[in-house]
């Protein structure tokens, strides 16, 4: 069980969330391309220098909400008692990490849902997301290399990485598209997506 953050860390997280919310609001109203860092900072009630202490770019202020899942995944991988992990093991770890978000991260899930919606309709943000996802893939490479007991990122680990990444991307997009109907549980959508992947591979 992780210790609760101290007052300074809680304030840092609150400021980060306020900037993320301001960026999301502006991107939804006027698009990524027509939104400036200055506008985001003003909407969040912070200076531009404060903005850049938290985020490198305006796009990062929106895409950064996915870091919560990455943090949950790192924690779950660290807690896994069995090594090496195979694909099904990793799927269970991911399902547990998504469950952690569903239980403890309603605000984070709300941001992720809004981001996925933006990515479907904002070309500029979608282009920026490609670079962000490439960086995430590099971080996942190290995580999966360790989780699978492989010192180097070999072909097998890369195949696992691509499979995990595609499954997660499809899961988040499917979940976001169904969420307004109120019938989409994130973990349930993930498990359904994994099952569908196996159907496709076995065809």
């Amino acid at each position: 069980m992780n210790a609760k953050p101290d007052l300074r860390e809680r304030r840092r997280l609150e400021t980060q969330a306020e900037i993320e919310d301001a960026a999301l609001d502006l991107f939804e109203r006027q698009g990524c391309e027509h939104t400036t860092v200055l506008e985001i900072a003003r909407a969040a009630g912070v200076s531009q220098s404060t903005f850049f202490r938290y985020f490198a770019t305006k796009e990062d202020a929106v895409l950064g909400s996915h870091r919560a899942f990455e943090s949950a995944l790192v924690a779950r991988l660290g807690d896994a008692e069995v090594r090496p992990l195979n694909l099904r093991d990793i799927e269970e770890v991911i399902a547990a990490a998504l469950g952690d978000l569903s239980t403890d991260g309603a605000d984070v899930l709300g941001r992720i849902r809004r981001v996925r919606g933006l990515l479907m309709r904002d070309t500029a943000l979608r282009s920026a997301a490609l670079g962000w996802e490439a960086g995430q893939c590099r971080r996942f490479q190290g995580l999966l290399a360790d989780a699978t007991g492989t010192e180097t990122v070999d072909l097998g680990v890369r195949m696992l990485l691509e499979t995990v990444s595609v499954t997660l991307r499809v899961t988040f997009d499917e979940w976001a598209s169904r969420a307004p109907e109120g019938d989409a549980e994130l973990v349930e959508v993930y498990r359904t997506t994994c099952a569908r992947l196996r159907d496709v591979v076995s065809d």
Side-chain angles (χ1 to χ4, degrees):
M1 200 72 180
N2 293 330
K4 288 185 177 180
D6 60 23
L7 181 60
R8 177 177 295 182
E9 177 63 7
R10 287 202 303 273
R11 182 54 195 152
R12 188 190 72 80
L13 293 173
E14 287 170 1
T15 300
Q16 179 175 292
E18 287 163 2
I19 295 171
E20 288 175 342
D21 286 340
L24 268 171
D25 288 343
L26 286 165
F27 280 23
E28 287 175 335
R29 288 205 306 269
Q30 57 196 39
C32 170
E33 191 172 7
H34 300 293
T35 298
T36 67
V37 168
L38 179 58
E39 287 177 308
I40 296 170
R42 283 176 173 169
V46 300
S47 66
Q48 286 192 82
S49 60
T50 296
F51 175 95
F52 285 116
R53 282 204 297 270
Y54 287 86
F55 302 104
T57 67
K58 63 182 181 180
E59 294 86 358
D60 193 37
V62 170
L63 298 172
S65 60
H66 285 67
R67 287 196 194 95
F69 166 70
E70 191 173 324
S71 296
L73 179 59
V74 168
R76 284 289 181 170
L77 282 171
D79 290 343
E81 297 179 357
V82 179
R83 288 291 195 276
L85 302 180
N86 59 30
L87 178 59
R88 288 185 183 275
D89 294 329
I90 291 172
E91 286 175 350
E92 288 304 312
V93 169
I94 289 173
L98 293 174
D100 291 340
L101 284 186
S102 298
T103 301
D104 302 324
D107 290 342
V108 172
L109 284 181
R111 291 189 193 97
I112 292 174
R113 180 186 301 160
R114 292 168 67 187
V115 169
R116 302 316 295 189
L118 276 169
L119 289 174
M120 293 176 194
R121 61 182 185 271
D122 190 313
T123 303
L125 184 61
R126 191 160 58 246
S127 297
L130 293 177
W132 192 89
E133 288 179 355
Q136 186 183 56
C137 280
R138 287 192 294 272
R139 292 190 295 275
F140 278 178
Q141 283 179 352
L143 290 173
L144 289 178
D146 177 66
T148 56
T150 307
E151 292 185 4
T152 58
V153 182
D154 62 9
L155 179 60
V157 173
R158 292 215 307 272
M159 290 296 293
L160 269 175
L161 173 68
E162 293 298 330
T163 301
V164 167
S165 296
V166 170
T167 305
L168 276 170
R169 189 179 307 119
V170 172
T171 294
F172 277 120
D173 287 343
E174 176 66 13
W175 167 74
S177 68
R178 291 171 51 189
E181 301 170 12
D183 64 351
E185 293 288 342
L186 183 54
V187 176
E188 177 188 339
V189 174
Y190 177 68
R191 291 194 182 281
T192 299
T193 305
C194 291
R196 183 63 185 129
L197 172 66
R198 297 191 194 289
D199 291 341
V200 170
V201 171
S202 64
D203 284 347

